[in-house]
Amino acid sequence: MRPSEIEALARLAGGMDYYSLLRVESSAPLVEIKRAYYRARRTFHPDRYLRDRDEVQSAVDQIARRINEAWVVLRDANRRPAYDQGLTRGQLR
């Protein structure tokens, strides 16, 4: 992924729901969400971008934190339904 694309995604990540961020459907089973999480973490692991500009490193860090946040919520059997219900009311977090 090019640095400009990473920086753009970092700007958009705060306004994306967790499913969009992980690129899965909201009806996806946990095993699919887990695969998407690990794929996203490999793509946006901060260590992969140590040689990039500080702005890119900061953007990657922001995206990685959001990906972790998504995983914490979507893997939990109690938090995920609450999150889904919040999405219907327009809440992204």
Side-chain angles (χ1 to χ4, degrees):
M1 194 171 239
R2 293 187 323 224
S4 60
E5 294 172 324
I6 292 169
E7 291 172 345
L9 179 59
R11 285 190 296 275
L12 296 173
M16 295 172 75
D17 66 77
Y18 295 150
Y19 298 108
S20 297
L21 186 64
L22 294 178
R23 297 180 179 177
V24 295
E25 296 292 323
S26 60
S27 60
L30 185 57
V31 67
E32 186 178 333
I33 292 171
K34 185 177 183 178
R35 261 188 251 122
Y37 164 73
Y38 283 111
R39 182 178 52 245
R41 279 302 292 161
R42 278 191 304 275
T43 302
F44 295 105
H45 194 283
D47 289 350
R48 291 186 69 189
Y49 298 91
L50 290 176
R51 293 184 176 163
D52 284 294
R53 301 185 330 264
D54 287 344
E55 294 83 8
V56 174
Q57 290 178 20
S58 177
V60 168
D61 185 53
Q62 188 177 0
I63 294 167
R65 279 187 271 122
R66 189 84 161 111
I67 289 168
N68 282 336
E69 186 180 304
W71 175 237
V72 166
V73 170
L74 297 181
R75 73 177 180 199
D76 187 286
N78 294 318
R79 289 181 180 182
R80 184 175 177 184
Y83 177 73
D84 291 342
Q85 191 175 40
L87 276 180
T88 61
R89 294 190 307 266
Q91 298 172 328
L92 296 177
R93 288 185 166 168

